[in-house]
């Protein structure tokens, strides 16, 4: 899948191992997409302009040259 390709590239080229998304609870389309991509809910936050948001994390592959932990 393209999303796994992107996370593998981000990990290999930039050392990124966790991805974060914050989405309005009323944005059903984005919530469905983020769940399909394997993001897990981790909490809530309040944004000054956008209001309440649900927060999701997705752990990508370990960066090259690391043991994953």
């Amino acid at each position: 899948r393209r999303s796994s390709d992107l996370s593998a590239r981000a990990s290999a080229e930039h050392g990124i191992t966790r991805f974060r998304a914050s989405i309005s609870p009323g944005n059903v389309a984005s919530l469905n997409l983020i769940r399909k991509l394997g993001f897990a809910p981790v909490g809530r936050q309040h944004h000054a302009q956008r209001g309440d948001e649900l927060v999701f994390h997705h752990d990508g592959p370990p960066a090259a040259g690391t043991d994953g932990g």
Side-chain angles (χ1 to χ4, degrees), residues 20-24 31 34 39 45 47 50 53-56:
R20 182 178 190 273
S22 55
I23 302 171
S24 168
L31 292 170
I34 211 76
F39 281 71
Q45 69 181 20
H47 188 275
R50 295 186 299 262
E53 298 176 323
L54 302 175
V55 179
F56 298 82

Side-chain angles (χ1 to χ4, degrees), residues 36-53:
K36 286 180 185 176
L37 293 174
F39 281 71
V42 296
R44 299 177 78 96
Q45 69 181 20
H46 184 79
H47 188 275
Q49 283 85 31
R50 295 186 299 262
D52 289 333
E53 298 176 323

Side-chain angles (χ1 to χ4, degrees), residues 16-38:
I16 298 169
T17 58
R18 174 166 285 170
F19 299 86
R20 182 178 190 273
S22 55
I23 302 171
S24 168
N27 189 337
V28 176
S30 291
L31 292 170
N32 287 337
L33 175 63
I34 211 76
R35 288 180 178 124
K36 286 180 185 176
L37 293 174

